[in-house]
């Protein structure tokens, strides 16, 4: 059995000298063609899932499994969990997310009809999502029954992924673009200006929007995902990834 160092101060001699052990920190990284979630086994609960770039600290390797503590994000924070040693070597790396403050910009466009092959005529509120100069077509609303509305103009925050959204089927997009679309189950919650927490609006892949920032240009979803997942806003314990500036 091999043990990993934990972050602590310990007395090293009778004179009361201390030293600080080095934390062995890792970050989740996944394969290219994946749904975007890593299944882990907490020691005290059922299986759970964590997203890419979740921070963990190593605890020990024992009985063919590697144990670690989940240190940030929204899922399983504070829990000790494990992976097989082989999966730990593959999916836990030393590469951290970027800790710079990044701003994603959304600019309203026209509102006009699109004929969906699945849903028929849809009145879409189009917009352009801009990531480091790359313009990507999104829709901000597809349902005008009064239950939903496009995201308001303002300065919002994009949160780290909360949980798998496999229940809202987007597998078809991966089937349409085999080997080219990943992390379709990863949705990024939006914290609206003046509020706290998940507004139930998200940045996600798809052709329909219920007030979300829905990446309609499917072939560019990976650009959006890769950018957002690889960033964390400083001093937010891994809970926020970027700022969101929406203008009309």
């Amino acid at each position: 059995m091999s043990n990993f160092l934990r972050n602590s101060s310990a007395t090293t001699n009778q004179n009361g000298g201390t030293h600080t052990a080095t934390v062995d920190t890792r970050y989740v990284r996944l394969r290219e063609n994946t749904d975007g979630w890593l299944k882990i086994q907490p020691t005290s609960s059922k299986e759970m899932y964590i997203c890419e770039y979740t921070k963990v600290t190593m605890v020990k390797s024992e009985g063919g499994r590697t144990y670690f503590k989940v240190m940030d994000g929204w899922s399983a924070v504070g829990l000790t969990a494990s992976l097989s040693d082989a999966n730990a070597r593959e999916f836990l790396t030393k590469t951290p997310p970027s800790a710079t403050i990044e701003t994603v910009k959304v600019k309203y466009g026209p509102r006009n009809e699109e004929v969906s092959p699945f849903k028929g005529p849809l009145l879409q509120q189009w917009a352009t999502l801009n990531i480091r100069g790359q313009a990507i077509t999104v829709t901000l609303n597809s349902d005008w029954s009064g239950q939903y509305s496009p995201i308001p103009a303002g300065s919002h925050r994009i949160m780290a992924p909360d949980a798998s959204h496999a229940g809202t089927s987007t597998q078809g997009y991966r089937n349409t673009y085999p080997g080219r679309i990943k992390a379709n189950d990863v949705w990024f919650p939006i914290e609206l200006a003046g509020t706290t927490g998940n507004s139930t609006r998200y940045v996600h892949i798809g052709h329909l929007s219920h007030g979300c920032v829905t990446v309609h240009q499917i072939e560019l979803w990976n650009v959006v995902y890769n950018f957002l997942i690889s960033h964390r806003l400083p001093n937010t314990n891994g809970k926020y990834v970027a700022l969101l500036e929406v203008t009309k």
Side-chain angles (χ1 to χ4, degrees):
M1 179 182 75
S2 60
N3 291 311
F4 300 95
L5 290 173
R6 300 191 186 196
N7 188 22
S8 61
S9 294
T11 300
T12 58
N13 55 52
Q14 291 180 343
N15 296 324
T18 63
H19 74 277
T20 301
T22 302
V23 178
D24 191 352
T25 300
R26 305 292 172 87
Y27 301 88
V28 174
R29 292 300 306 274
L30 300 175
R31 300 185 186 97
E32 280 302 303
N33 189 20
T34 177
D35 62 11
W37 295 95
L38 177 64
K39 183 168 67 175
I40 61 174
Q41 179 60 65
T43 57
S44 58
S45 63
K46 63 181 181 180
E47 294 173 339
M48 299 183 70
Y49 294 82
I50 54 179
C51 67
E52 283 201 272
Y53 287 98
T54 297
K55 179 181 178 180
V56 305
T57 54
M58 311 304 284
V59 175
K60 65 181 179 179
S61 179
E62 184 177 70
R65 297 192 69 80
T66 297
Y67 293 81
F68 51 88
K69 187 174 181 180
V70 180
M71 300 303 294
D72 69 6
W74 297 101
S75 177
V77 181
L79 294 181
T80 297
S82 67
L83 294 167
S84 70
D85 287 343
N87 282 341
R89 286 192 294 270
E90 180 173 0
F91 299 124
L92 301 181
T93 77
K94 294 187 177 182
T95 303
S98 170
T100 57
I101 298 176
E102 297 287 348
T103 300
V104 175
K105 296 184 178 182
V106 169
K107 173 70 174 177
Y108 271 63
R111 183 187 301 181
N112 54 39
E113 186 176 278
E114 173 195 35
V115 179
S116 165
F118 307 105
K119 299 292 185 178
L122 295 171
L123 183 60
Q124 300 274 31
Q125 174 58 66
W126 300 110
T128 300
L129 172 69
N130 191 291
I131 292 181
R132 288 186 171 173
Q134 183 163 10
I136 299 170
T137 299
V138 299
T139 174
L140 303 183
N141 199 42
S142 312
D143 184 327
W144 303 94
S145 63
Q147 186 175 358
Y148 304 101
S149 62
I151 188 170
S155 297
H156 316 294
R157 290 200 296 179
I158 303 174
M159 304 166 69
D162 51 356
S164 173
H165 287 258
T168 304
S169 178
T170 53
Q171 179 65 36
Y173 298 121
R174 291 179 69 186
N175 296 339
T176 302
Y177 297 86
R180 295 170 56 193
I181 300 298
K182 64 177 179 179
N184 55 296
D185 293 346
V186 177
W187 294 23
F188 297 86
I190 298 171
E191 181 182 83
L192 295 179
T195 69
T196 301
N198 187 346
S199 65
T200 70
R201 299 173 188 255
Y202 292 85
V203 179
H204 67 89
I205 190 172
H207 284 156
L208 298 175
S209 176
H210 290 160
C212 295
V213 178
T214 303
V215 179
H216 191 281
Q217 202 167 351
I218 301 299
E219 69 277 13
L220 294 182
W221 164 249
N222 283 7
V223 173
V224 178
Y225 170 79
N226 287 336
F227 179 81
L228 293 180
I229 201 66
S230 62
H231 289 82
R232 297 293 188 273
L233 289 178
N235 304 314
T236 63
N237 294 320
K239 295 183 182 295
Y240 296 85
V241 300
L243 305 178
L244 175 64
E245 182 181 308
V246 180
T247 58
K248 291 189 175 182

